[in-house]
């Protein structure tokens, strides 16, 4: 009695099943976003790259300097600080552009075309914002300053990470929405 060789049929079945599974799965994150999320977790294990409704991440990078505007600084930068993580969000993310024009030390994601709507920074350095008012939003203490150039600048430090949020008046967000976003992302352990 002859035993039929089923190896080719089995191989074809496995390949077909694998290709069908790949076609039916949910779309993966954009190129580099998984790596960027991993890198942020290395620097700030209790933080991450938050998904913010209404905007898309268009640029993420490490920065040696804490990104507080000069008119709000009250402390000197300690050279022993960890790198800050800067996350730029746009209303609509366009195509990937050349990074050669950006003065960035370590690019994590992007840059993509798009008008900046929000800038979120993560830093280990505590921040005191001069000329700000303190507010409690969803149980999170936030310092808020409205700059003369129509920028809203807010900081929160519920844990060992300082979250700063910057947005212009034409970002499409009301100030209360911005503070709600900051409260949510700064207290979420799984951004």
């Amino acid at each position: 009695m002859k035993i039929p060789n089923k190896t080719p049929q089995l191989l074809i079945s496995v390949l077909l099943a694998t290709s069908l599974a790949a076609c039916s799965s949910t779309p993966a994150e954009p190129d580099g976003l998984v790596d960027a999320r991993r890198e942020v977790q290395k620097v700030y294990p209790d933080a991450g790259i938050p998904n913010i409704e209404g905007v898309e991440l268009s640029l993420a990078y490490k920065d040696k300097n804490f990104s507080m505007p000069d008119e709000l600084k009250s402390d000197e930068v300690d050279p022993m600080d960890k790198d800050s993580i800067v996350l730029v969000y746009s209303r609509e993310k366009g195509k990937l552009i050349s990074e050669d024009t950006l003065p960035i030390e370590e690019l994590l994601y992007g840059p993509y075309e798009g008008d900046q709507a929000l800038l979120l920074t993560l830093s280990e350095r505590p921040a005191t914002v001069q000329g700000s008012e303190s507010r409690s939003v969803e149980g999170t203490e936030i310092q808020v300053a409205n700059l003369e150039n129509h920028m809203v600048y807010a900081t929160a430090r519920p844990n060992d990470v300082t979250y700063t949020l910057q947005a212009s008046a034409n970002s499409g967000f009301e100030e209360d929405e911005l503070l709600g976003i900051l409260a949510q992302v700064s207290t979420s352990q799984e951004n």
Side-chain angles (χ1 to χ4, degrees):
M1 179 163 142
K2 184 175 180 184
I3 299 175
N5 186 357
K6 296 205 179 222
T7 304
Q9 290 174 340
L10 183 60
L11 184 59
I12 291 172
S13 296
V14 170
L15 289 173
L16 183 59
T18 305
S19 64
L20 287 174
C23 291
S24 65
S25 66
T26 57
E29 290 183 312
D31 291 339
L33 189 52
V34 171
D35 294 335
R37 287 185 191 282
R38 204 174 296 125
E39 194 61 36
V40 170
Q41 288 287 299
K42 283 182 191 174
V43 180
Y44 296 106
D46 292 334
I49 297 176
N51 293 318
I52 301 173
E53 189 173 327
V55 291
E56 296 183 60
L57 183 68
S58 57
L59 174 63
Y61 61 95
K62 285 184 183 179
D63 190 1
K64 293 281 184 202
N65 299 314
F66 185 63
S67 66
M68 185 176 283
D70 289 339
E71 60 268 33
L72 299 177
K73 286 183 184 174
S74 63
D75 293 323
E76 294 297 319
V77 175
D78 184 344
M80 299 305 289
D81 284 347
K82 291 182 189 176
D83 291 341
S84 293
I85 302 290
V86 180
L87 307 170
V88 178
Y89 293 86
S90 301
R91 283 279 176 200
E92 292 183 18
K93 182 171 71 173
K95 64 180 181 177
L96 189 63
I97 56 176
S98 173
E99 62 189 77
D100 297 337
T101 59
L102 299 174
I104 294 174
E105 283 187 35
E106 187 174 346
L107 182 67
L108 301 177
Y109 178 75
Y112 288 87
E113 290 178 335
D115 293 330
Q116 177 181 320
L118 304 172
L119 185 129
L120 183 66
T121 305
L122 289 70
S123 175
E124 74 174 346
R125 186 139 181 91
T128 302
V129 181
Q130 294 179 5
S132 67
E133 79 178 68
S134 292
R135 296 193 201 165
S136 179
V137 179
E138 299 174 17
T140 302
E141 290 301 314
I142 296 177
Q143 290 185 9
V144 184
N146 289 292
L147 305 182
E148 290 180 15
N149 62 358
H150 305 288
M151 293 288 291
V152 174
Y153 190 86
T155 65
R157 188 176 171 85
N159 300 312
D160 291 335
V161 177
T162 299
Y163 293 79
T164 61
L165 185 133
Q166 297 176 50
S168 66
N170 63 359
S171 68
F173 291 98
E174 297 293 325
E175 185 174 306
D176 289 342
E177 290 177 294
L178 294 170
L179 299 183
I181 289 168
L182 181 59
Q184 180 183 6
V185 301
S186 66
T187 57
S188 173
Q189 293 299 310
E190 295 183 87
N191 294 317

